[in-house]
Each structure stands twice: as C-alpha cells, then as structure tokens.
Amino acid sequence: MSFNALIVTKDEDGKTAASVQQISDADLPEGEVTVAVEYSTVNYKDGLCVGPGGGLVRNYPHVPGIDFAGTVEASDDPRYKAGDKVVLTGWRVGEAHWGGYAQKARVKADWLVPLPDGLTTRQAMAVGTAGFTAMLAVDALEGQGLATGQGPVLVTGAAGGVGSVATAILSNLGYEVAAVTGRPETADYLKQLGATQIVAREDINETVKRPLEAETWAGCVDAVGGAMLARVLGQMKYGSSVAAVGLAGGAALPATVIPFLLRGVNILGIDSVMKPFEARQRAWTRVASDLPMDKLEAMVEPATLSDLPGLGRDILNGQVRGRVVVDVNA
C-alpha cells in the first residue's frame, strides 16, 4: 500500500529538488519498528536537508524530517508493540537515515522514546527537537546551580524554535527572562511567552575590546554562537553558565578566556542528537510538566507536507517564528 512522503532528489549537477511523492513500505529503510507518523516539525537542519543538504544527507533520494511522533504500526522489538505512541528526535534520522516527512517511518527501537503522559503527538511535535533541546539546556543550567532569584536569564535567538520554548519554560519556572531578537515585531509574541525584557540583537551582537563588562546575566540559553556568544560571556555573573545550543551566528568564537578565569563562567555544550535514553526520557517528562501547553499552542503554525519546500527556505533565512507542526496526513 502506497503513502505520501516528501522526497528530495539530486541531479547530476548537484541541484536538489523536493516534492511530495508516493512510496511503499518496501521503500523504507531497515529498522525494528515501523511507525505510522502523525506529526513532524521544521528545524534548521530540516531546512538544510530539504534544500541543499548542508553536508548532512549522505544518499539520494532522501526523506528529511529530523523528528516525528506517531503510533507504532509494527515492531520486532519487545519494548514496543502496535498501538504504542512514540516520539523520535535525533540519531541523525532525517539526515543519514530517512526521517519523519512521510506517513510512515521505519527506525531502530533504540532511537524511540515513549510519548510522555500528558502530551499528545501533536504537542510533542510542537515541542520537537527545538523544544527538547531547550529543555535539555534549562535542565543543564539548573544542574549547574541556576535558581530563581539570581537575576535575569538571557535567551538569544528567542523568537526561534529553541528560544521560544526556552523562554516559556524559564518563565513558567519563575525566572526573569531577557529575550534577544533581531525582529522588533516579535516583541509582543515574546512577552506573551513570558519574557520580561526584550534585548535588541544589535545591542549585543558585536564583540567589544573589554573582555569583561558589568555582571548582568544569571544564566543564558544561547542559540546563536559567534560574536554574540563572545559578548555574552563577558556579561555573565560570577559562577554562572551559558548553555550553548546553536550556531546561527557562526561557529567561530572570537572570545578570550578571561570570563572563565576571573568569573568562573561555564559553557555547557548541549547535544540533543546522541543523548542517551535515560536523559531523553527525563527531559520529555520535564517538558510535560514544565512547559505550559497554552504558551506552546501560541507558538504553533500548522503545515502540510506540500508546504515543506517553502518552509525549508524560510527557516534558513530566519523567517520562521516559533514552532511549525507538520500534519503529514493532511
């Protein structure tokens, strides 16, 4: 029986094209569990994989989609049975392995997590890889000693997927949230998510000659990297931490070691791709309890498989706000 999938192809000149096509179960890659996908979402990596590939896609034709949620259709692994609700993020699914932009996916059982109590599959993909990463970042900051009452927590790239969810979670937990955005029109949106302060990107996006500035931030979730992260390091309070989750502003870090040596500032690297199962389960459990569902819903824009080529371009150009939930069956 055939079903719909977004197929990306590459021609002899290296040009890629994406379109919705029909495939069958026989086309799916190997794996112990076949999932009837209900929802996926759009992340920066998805934009790369739907478009030029960004060096992430190994073989064509390819089905992108780095995360999905749905119902187990068949399983050769005793941990899962038909009818179980599951979530997948990471493990290079949607990059090296066919992903969630299809009505069915076949993956390794080790890559799945049971859908947490209190979340629907749609809500899980409103969270998606971006929100899951945000929860990992908040959890890491708190594990390093961040607590309410210590001062404002900075969130860079706040109107994006990671930043939006981080803002909502931190606010719900009682933190003051300072949200950095280069799009002034998103200020009201960020305040609705719980931001108490809006910081213009141009005010914090350039390095300065001074390695240390006034101690301002009690913690930071940074999705930007580059010059902005370098600047932020010099503004962190003594003993505080930055959870580094992205590099939208570049992979280079034009910083000095002074904030580490004189203020004991920490950089916490956040990887959501290869995170072990126990840590994944804990993060998803915290998502269900610490992320207000009304604020999550306020971030969501709906989409279908046919919308994905355009959305892939948009997210690479920084034109996607909040979270996009893709109904693969619409």
Side-chain angles (χ1 to χ4, degrees):
M1 183 176 178
S2 61
F3 55 90
N4 291 329
L6 184 79
I7 304 293
V8 182
T9 57
K10 179 182 280 189
D11 64 21
E12 293 179 354
D13 297 324
K15 184 178 180 180
T16 58
S19 63
V20 178
Q21 301 179 25
Q22 291 225 312
I23 61 174
S24 69
D25 285 48
D27 297 310
L28 294 173
E30 293 183 358
E32 298 92 15
V33 184
T34 302
V35 179
V37 179
E38 295 167 19
Y39 297 97
S40 186
T41 182
V42 179
N43 302 278
Y44 191 85
K45 280 185 177 180
D46 293 316
L48 292 172
C49 295
V50 169
L56 299 176
V57 180
R58 293 178 179 175
N59 300 297
Y60 292 90
H62 179 67
V63 176
I66 68 169
D67 46 20
F68 62 79
T71 303
V72 172
E73 184 176 274
S75 175
D76 295 327
D77 188 285
R79 287 171 289 179
Y80 297 100
K81 64 182 185 302
D84 287 348
K85 299 289 186 179
V86 291
V87 180
L88 183 144
T89 61
W91 301 110
R92 300 210 64 200
V93 170
E95 304 171 39
H97 189 92
W98 278 18
Y101 289 169
Q103 291 176 300
K104 290 187 184 183
R106 186 177 293 137
V107 296
K108 291 185 178 180
D110 287 344
W111 298 344
L112 295 169
V113 174
L115 183 73
D117 292 339
L119 285 184
T120 65
T121 52
R122 182 179 180 278
Q123 289 169 332
M125 282 300 99
V127 175
T129 293
F132 172 67
T133 303
M135 188 70 257
L136 290 173
V138 173
D139 193 59
L141 288 172
E142 291 186 329
Q144 199 64 30
L146 179 66
T148 57
Q150 295 175 344
V153 178
L154 190 71
V155 177
T156 69
V162 176
S164 292
V165 178
T167 297
I169 290 172
L170 287 164
S171 172
N172 187 56
L173 292 172
Y175 293 96
E176 300 174 63
V177 181
V180 182
T181 181
R183 295 178 278 175
E185 67 276 11
T186 64
D188 288 343
Y189 162 77
L190 292 168
K191 289 177 181 176
Q192 289 172 5
L193 296 183
T196 54
Q197 178 182 353
I198 305 298
V199 179
R201 181 171 59 196
E202 59 267 24
D203 291 345
I204 203 169
N205 199 35
E206 294 183 2
T207 55
V208 294
K209 293 182 179 179
R210 301 184 306 279
L212 295 176
E213 299 182 70
E215 296 183 47
T216 306
W217 316 115
C220 174
V221 176
D222 175 58
V224 176
M228 185 179 294
L229 175 55
R231 181 77 181 275
V232 167
L233 288 171
Q235 298 177 349
M236 300 302 296
K237 291 190 174 187
Y238 187 90
S240 62
S241 300
V242 177
V245 304
L247 42 66
L253 183 59
T256 76
V257 298
I258 299 300
F260 312 127
L261 303 181
L262 298 187
R263 286 191 183 159
V265 173
N266 308 291
I267 292 185
L268 311 176
I270 306 301
D271 166 58
S272 63
V273 177
M274 308 302 290
K275 187 66 66 175
F277 177 82
E278 293 76 13
R280 288 177 182 273
Q281 199 168 36
R282 183 177 71 248
W284 277 109
T285 299
R286 283 203 66 180
V287 163
S289 62
D290 294 346
L291 176 59
M293 290 300 111
D294 59 336
K295 290 185 178 180
L296 178 65
E297 189 59 37
M299 305 176 200
V300 171
E301 296 291 339
T304 65
L305 288 176
S306 60
D307 296 323
L308 288 168
L311 286 167
R313 292 189 294 270
D314 289 345
I315 198 165
L316 294 181
N317 292 324
Q319 296 172 344
V320 171
R321 189 190 79 173
R323 305 293 298 125
V324 175
V325 175
V326 181
D327 183 346
V328 302
N329 297 297

